Amino acid sequence: MSTFPVTRLRRLRRSDRLRSLVRAPTRGRTWVLSAEVQAYALGLTITFLALMLAAGSLAAERDENVIGRLARGLIGLGHLIWAKVALAAGVALVLGLAIAMAFGAIIEIGGVTGGEPWRRLPLLVVGLVLAGGALGALGALLGALAREARSASLVALLVVLPIVFLGLIPAEGVPPAAWASDALPFAHSVRFFSAALYDLSPWGSVVREGLWLVALGAVFGGLARVGARRLLV
């Protein structure tokens, strides 16, 4: 039997030893400052805050015996619900911009290649308002069903975890979880933020997820308007 294959193999192994890995001198964005981390940070913070704020503030109107007087004369239940939605959207906007600015400052100070897409901030503002409004409508629904401020805050806290968990499950792995996640604002908010900040051509994803957030906000807001009648009892 010929020894040529063995000799050739030994030569190849010697040549492999001469090879070395060359690390590129330029630095890319680390995983801590990645697009996904920033999008999820915005989504998690806004989801937690908007649900707690809208649910607790609406139920507190009943605890303080205010909602009855408001509904009888000053404003209707629908106006009260949308006021809570607007409050959640405003707080989400302020807090979301603060988080984006903090990420941007860290990226700029660290000199990370790629930097923060400051020109996309106006698009991010739209996403923050839509996400905060949709989550605020869901929070108002939880507050109307819970009726009491303490119960509403507890229910909102318990609901946040499943919402986030469903949004983190890959659609390819568990399709039913992905379908359930599409019926909630968290996953759409994260996709909107990620596309708005980092996609080369974000308009398709932004429009699609924005319409989802508007539709979910309208559905949850309408259900909260119906459920708010329980607060008058």
Side-chain angles (χ1 to χ4, degrees):
M1 187 169 82
S2 175
T3 60
F4 174 74
V6 178
T7 304
R8 184 180 180 184
L9 179 61
R10 289 175 180 173
R11 289 178 180 176
L12 289 175
R13 287 179 178 174
R14 292 194 193 101
S15 64
D16 289 342
R17 294 174 185 173
L18 299 177
R19 297 177 182 176
S20 61
L21 295 176
V22 178
R23 185 175 182 179
T26 57
R27 292 178 297 169
R29 179 172 293 182
T30 62
W31 70 269
V32 178
L33 303 175
S34 66
E36 292 299 323
V37 172
Q38 187 168 350
Y40 276 109
L42 289 169
L44 284 169
T45 306
I46 291 175
T47 299
F48 179 83
L49 182 65
L51 285 178
M52 295 283 291
L53 180 63
S57 61
L58 181 62
E61 301 288 356
R62 180 181 183 275
D63 292 349
E64 298 173 0
N65 297 320
V66 176
I67 190 170
R69 294 193 296 270
L70 292 176
R72 282 194 297 268
L74 298 178
I75 61 174
L77 290 177
H79 292 85
L80 183 61
I81 295 297
W82 296 117
K84 304 305 179 184
V85 171
L87 174 63
V91 173
L93 172 61
V94 174
L95 186 60
L97 282 179
I99 294 174
M101 296 293 288
F103 266 90
I106 295 172
I107 290 170
E108 296 296 337
I109 293 173
V112 179
T113 302
E116 182 76 357
W118 299 110
R119 295 181 179 179
R120 298 287 187 90
L121 285 184
L123 193 57
L124 179 64
V125 167
V126 177
L128 291 171
V129 172
L130 293 178
L135 290 163
L138 177 57
L141 175 60
L142 296 177
L145 296 177
R147 299 182 64 182
E148 297 180 356
R150 292 181 180 179
S151 301
S153 299
L154 179 60
V155 170
L157 180 60
L158 294 176
V159 168
V160 166
L161 297 178
I163 290 177
V164 173
F165 178 74
L166 289 174
L168 295 176
I169 297 177
E172 298 79 6
V174 186
W179 301 335
S181 179
D182 285 338
L184 299 169
F186 172 75
H188 299 289
S189 302
V190 171
R191 294 171 195 158
F192 191 109
F193 300 148
S194 181
L197 289 174
Y198 299 101
D199 282 3
L200 293 178
S201 181
W203 300 111
S205 298
V206 163
V207 171
R208 180 174 61 255
E209 304 303 335
L211 291 176
W212 266 103
L213 291 172
V214 171
L216 291 175
V219 171
F220 290 135
L223 293 175
R225 168 63 180 82
V226 175
R229 297 173 183 174
R230 301 177 69 249
L231 300 176
L232 300 175
V233 180

